[in-house]
RNA sequence: GGUCCGGUCGUCUAGCGGUUAGGAUGCCGCCCUUUCACGGCGGAGGUCGCGGGUUCGAAUCCCGUCCGGACUACCA
């Protein structure tokens, strides 16, 4: 039997990296076994529906190169793939009726106040909390009829068996057992006629011939309800794969408090989908051995359920940064400009960096904006030259802004410490003067080799043994900073004209004793 | 309170009865070098949560214990 898996998110908010990782695992598993991945929208809760969310889900998973063969946007043999539409077709009601007829489900007319009271009582008396033996479980047909004719809207609950062992076959943890007496009767159909997750997901998984339910670990405790549903229907249950949760640095479940968690925010922040996918897959999964850097194709080839970890993992953003830097360096230099332009021209990227408050140790939003704006408006050749020189020095696409900024503004911000260190030294005025002359004498351009020759010859003529006393002040004069690309390359990219203006400006900053 | 899951360097992990417990990241140092970064090399960092067993031998198997987490809605 060929593998069929589904990614079944509910459109109640932006998908975060945890959700996306589950989708990734589905994708990898499906691909590994030449199976099918379905996208199913679990929109049975009307009150929590967030418009636009479904599109964001699709955009998010498509962004990291996950594809699916069946879904609301693609159709498929089991359409529709939106549960609200399936509910309209009466799919769930039909199966609920069957359960009702078979005595596996019953109508319950409790009011929410009554249920609340019940839980309160259980809480106080330290009893297990849940709907275990509510009065409707074994109500007589007469009682039900009376309630119905009184106009009360019932829910349909699943009648869990008593005195039975319910076993969940989990691909990661093996056999997980639950005593059925510990499991309460879940609502299958709500009073508004919509199915709950418990019911809709399982009915659909059967109807859609799902072979493996890959979902978050938080579902493991309701798995016995799902298993029983299959048994009550007489259906063959799929294999469950409960993937561990992702935690933040403090050990609690990953949330906004830990910084960006929304999938598409990583795109806006300048992360590459290849890096995010690679990184995220490694939380909770390993191909075995020492392999870490893998393309999505390579992961597809080596993915297996056995490599899945049962324990939760912490989202280490430092390691993500390292990995992203690796993938940035991997970009074919000829494509660098188009990658950066596509990144920066995205409306979401723009709004992400707009009015963003600076964070210590991270790229300064103002510099990101001005740098990237300038980069995208600069002549292509010049912009590309700047990017190439910074490629191995950045960790995110956004970093190109601050990194390239000095190339693009007429008067780069000067590092005062660097100015203090170098511009008071006795040999510097003559040095600046000499390079001004060289630039004046040069034509429109100067190759890195030419620039190197200038520097070496000047050092020699000034009787300097090392290049440092020439290189460092020049770098500060030209870039305002002490760190950056190789001086000769950077000089060449700036060109004689720009160098000339900067050297003259530097003359005005000389510290005269 | 109940049920279930989990526990190897700070972090992600390899490991499946015999290893000096390996790799990666982060940190430190050295090399490269005109700076930073990249890259290369090296170092610190783990009594494999703890306690008992089983075994000639346990991170690996069993039991207990502690700690952490998830669930406990007419939400998913």
């Amino acid at each position: 039997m060929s593998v069929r898996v589904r990614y079944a998110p509910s459109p109640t908010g932006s998908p975060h990296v945890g959700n996306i990782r589950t989708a990734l695992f589905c994708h990898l598993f499906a691909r590994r076994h030449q199976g099918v991945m379905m996208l199913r929208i679990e929109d049975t809760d009307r009150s929590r529906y967030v418009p636009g969310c479904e599109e964001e889900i699709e955009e998010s998973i498509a962004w990291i190169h996950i594809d699916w063969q069946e879904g609301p946007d693609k159709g498929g043999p089991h359409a529709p793939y939106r549960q609200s539409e399936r509910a309209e077709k009466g799919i769930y009601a039909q199966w609920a009726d069957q359960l009702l007829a078979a005595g596996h489900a019953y109508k319950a007319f409790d009011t929410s106040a009554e249920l609340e009271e019940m839980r309160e009582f259980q809480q106080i008396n330290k009893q297990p909390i849940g709907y275990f033996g509510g009065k409707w479980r074994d109500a007589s047909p007469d009682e039900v009829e009376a309630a119905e004719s009184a106009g009360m809207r019932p829910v349909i609950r699943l009648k869990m068996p008593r005195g039975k062992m319910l076993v969940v076959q989990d691909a990661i943890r093996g056999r997980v057992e639950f005593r059925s007496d510990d499991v309460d009767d879940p609502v299958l159909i709500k009073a508004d006629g919509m199915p709950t997750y418990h019911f809709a997901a399982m009915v659909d998984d059967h109807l859609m011939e799902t072979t493996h339910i890959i979902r978050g670990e938080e579902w493991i405790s309701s798995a016995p309800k799902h298993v029983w549903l299959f048994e009550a229907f007489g259906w063959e249950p799929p294999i469950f794969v409960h993937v561990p949760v992702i935690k933040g640095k403090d050990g609690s479940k990953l949330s906004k408090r830990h910084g960006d968690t929304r999938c598409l925010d990583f795109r806006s922040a300048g992360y590459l989908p290849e890096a995010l996918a690679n990184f995220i897959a490694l939380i909770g999964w390993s191909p075995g051995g020492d392999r870490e850097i893998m393309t999505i194709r390579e992961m597809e080839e080596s993915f297996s359920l056995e490599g899945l970890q049962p324990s939760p993992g912490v989202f280490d953003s430092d390691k993500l940064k390292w990995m992203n830097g690796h993938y940035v360096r991997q970009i074919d230099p000829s494509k660098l400009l188009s990658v950066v332009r596509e990144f920066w021209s995205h409306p979401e990227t723009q709004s992400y960096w707009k009015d963003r408050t600076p964070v210590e140790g991270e790229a300064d939003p103002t510099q990101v904006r001005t740098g990237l704006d300038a980069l995208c408006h600069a002549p292509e050749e010049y912009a590309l030259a700047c990017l190439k020189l910074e490629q191995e020095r950045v960790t995110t696409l956004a970093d190109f802004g601050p990194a390239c900024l000095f190339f693009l503004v007429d008067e780069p911000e000067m590092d005062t410490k660097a100015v203090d260190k170098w511009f008071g030294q006795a040999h510097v005025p003559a040095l600046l003067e000499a390079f001004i002359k060289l630039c004046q004498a040069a034509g429109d351009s100067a190759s890195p080799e030419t620039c190197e020759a200038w520097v070496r010859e000047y050092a020699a003529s000034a009787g300097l043994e090392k290049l440092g006393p020439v290189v460092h002040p020049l770098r500060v004069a030209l870039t305002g900073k002490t760190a950056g690309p190789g001086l000769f390359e950077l000089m060449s990219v700036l060109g004689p004209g720009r160098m000339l203006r900067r050297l003259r400006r530097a003359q005005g900053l000389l510290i005269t004793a």
Side-chain angles (χ1 to χ4, degrees):
Chain A
M1 183 168 57
S2 73
V3 163
R4 290 178 57 84
V5 295
R6 84 296 194 282
Y7 175 53
S10 61
T12 53
S14 296
H16 57 84
V17 289
N19 303 321
I20 296 305
R21 187 194 55 162
T22 303
L24 218 208
F25 287 155
C26 289
H27 170 265
L28 295 177
F29 184 66
R31 280 300 191 93
R32 175 69 182 76
H33 297 279
Q34 288 117 326
V36 169
M37 168 151 168
M38 304 174 261
L39 174 64
R40 188 175 70 218
I41 302 297
E42 311 244 333
D43 55 349
T44 53
D45 185 351
R46 290 156 168 167
S47 63
R48 293 211 310 156
Y49 182 78
V50 177
C53 203
E54 189 180 317
E55 289 71 21
E56 188 179 336
I57 288 164
E58 290 168 356
E59 189 178 351
S60 297
I61 58 182
W63 177 59
I64 60 167
H65 310 307
I66 289 175
D67 59 2
W68 56 101
Q69 293 68 238
E70 298 174 23
D73 58 326
K74 293 196 161 76
H78 302 289
Y81 290 87
R82 253 181 296 257
Q83 290 185 329
S84 55
E85 292 172 16
R86 300 174 68 75
E88 271 174 42
K89 288 180 68 179
I91 292 173
Y92 309 114
Q94 170 196 331
W95 290 102
D97 285 344
Q98 189 181 123
L99 243 27
L100 236 22
H104 277 126
Y106 59 94
K107 292 179 180 174
F109 297 82
D110 309 83
T111 63
S112 51
E114 284 172 330
L115 291 174
E116 213 167 293
E117 196 182 318
M118 174 194 79
R119 278 184 214 105
E120 209 170 299
F121 177 86
Q122 291 167 333
Q123 182 99 260
I124 291 166
N125 294 291
K126 304 197 170 185
Q127 291 174 358
I129 294 160
Y131 199 92
F132 288 94
K135 63 175 175 181
W136 297 100
R137 183 178 157 110
D138 297 304
S140 69
D142 288 349
E143 287 173 299
V144 173
E145 211 167 295
E148 246 164 2
S149 57
M152 298 171 80
R153 310 279 317 264
V155 298
I156 298 176
R157 284 184 186 269
L158 179 64
K159 196 180 222 170
M160 291 303 293
R162 293 298 164 234
K164 211 173 166 348
M165 214 42 151
L166 265 14
V167 345
V168 178
Q169 275 305 332
D170 183 273
I172 303 177
R173 283 155 263 260
R175 188 186 163 92
V176 183
E177 297 185 337
F178 295 81
R179 285 175 28 228
S180 68
D181 296 15
D182 294 329
V183 184
D184 74 336
D185 293 351
V187 170
L188 264 22
I189 302 288
K190 300 182 256 187
D192 66 0
M194 287 295 269
T196 60
Y197 169 88
H198 298 304
F199 194 54
M202 295 309 113
V203 166
D204 285 345
D205 282 331
H206 173 254
L207 261 23
M208 296 179 176
E209 302 175 276
T210 304
T211 57
H212 301 257
I213 295 181
I214 301 175
R215 65 197 340 185
E217 189 188 5
E218 64 270 22
W219 290 109
I220 204 164
S221 45
S222 39
K225 294 170 179 172
H226 306 332
V227 165
W228 177 247
L229 221 28
F230 276 90
E231 208 167 322
F233 275 122
W235 296 338
E236 180 75 15
I239 293 165
F240 291 88
V241 185
H242 291 103
V243 303
V245 299
I246 297 181
K247 304 189 293 182
K249 278 189 191 62
D250 59 359
S252 67
K253 200 169 169 181
L254 194 67
S255 71
K256 301 102 247 151
R257 292 186 298 106
H258 303 100
D260 287 339
T261 55
R262 190 179 88 113
C263 180
L264 293 180
D265 277 346
F266 284 90
R267 177 178 66 183
S268 301
Y271 288 90
L272 299 171
E274 296 78 10
L276 218 218
N278 192 162
F279 173 73
I280 236 160
L282 258 20
I283 304 177
W285 175 71
S286 162
D290 295 339
R291 292 229 292 157
E292 280 207 322
I293 298 290
M294 285 172 286
T295 64
I296 198 155
R297 295 279 167 266
E298 290 171 326
M299 292 195 281
E300 285 166 8
E301 283 162 22
S302 47
F303 188 82
S304 82
L305 263 22
E306 289 70 44
L308 252 17
Q309 189 94 6
S311 55
V314 173
F315 189 90
D316 180 4
S317 48
D318 282 335
K319 188 157 182 177
L320 205 214
K321 280 182 184 147
W322 162 76
M323 199 172 269
N324 200 247
H326 171 86
Y327 279 96
V328 169
R329 271 167 244 128
Q330 212 80 47
I331 298 172
D332 185 331
S334 67
K335 295 188 182 123
L336 216 39
L337 185 58
S338 57
V339 168
V340 171
R341 278 187 168 165
E342 195 185 323
F343 160 67
W344 190 241
S345 63
H346 197 106
E348 261 199 48
T349 307
Q350 294 278 336
S351 56
Y352 178 90
W353 288 101
K354 191 167 183 275
D355 304 323
R356 199 170 179 76
T357 47
V359 177
E360 177 75 28
E362 285 178 24
D364 178 64
T366 309
Q367 291 188 7
V368 169
R369 273 184 272 118
T370 53
L372 256 13
D373 276 339
L375 205 48
C376 290
H377 290 129
E380 279 194 16
E381 208 180 322
Y382 187 61
L384 182 56
C386 300
L387 289 172
K388 281 181 180 170
L389 290 190
E390 296 292 353
Q391 185 173 15
E392 64 188 27
R393 274 164 256 269
V394 300
T395 69
T396 68
L397 259 23
D399 289 340
F400 276 117
C404 294
L405 192 56
F406 77 87
F407 276 117
L408 304 154
V409 297
D410 289 333
E411 301 201 336
E413 191 182 324
M414 303 301 279
D415 177 342
T416 53
K417 268 190 191 160
V419 170
D420 288 347
K421 180 172 180 185
W422 294 104
F423 284 18
Q425 297 200 9
H427 71 291
V428 174
L431 184 152
L432 294 181
E433 197 56 45
F435 276 84
I436 284 174
K437 291 222 165 64
L438 284 167
C439 288
Q440 283 171 331
D444 292 339
S445 64
S447 70
E449 293 72 26
T450 303
C451 296
E452 179 166 2
W454 290 354
V455 171
R456 291 196 184 280
E457 279 161 24
Y458 181 82
S461 70
L464 298 164
E465 281 180 19
K466 292 198 168 184
L467 256 31
V470 181
V471 165
H472 298 309
L474 261 187
R475 172 186 296 285
V476 175
L478 260 18
T479 72
K481 306 187 294 180
T482 56
L487 183 67
F488 313 138
E489 287 75 26
L490 145 193
M491 286 172 77
S492 177
V493 168
L494 281 171
R498 254 181 293 253
M499 281 198 277
L500 194 54
R501 287 193 291 280
R502 293 176 189 213
L503 291 167
R504 288 212 166 110
R505 176 178 171 233
Q507 283 184 313
L509 298 169
L510 287 173
I511 302 159
T512 43

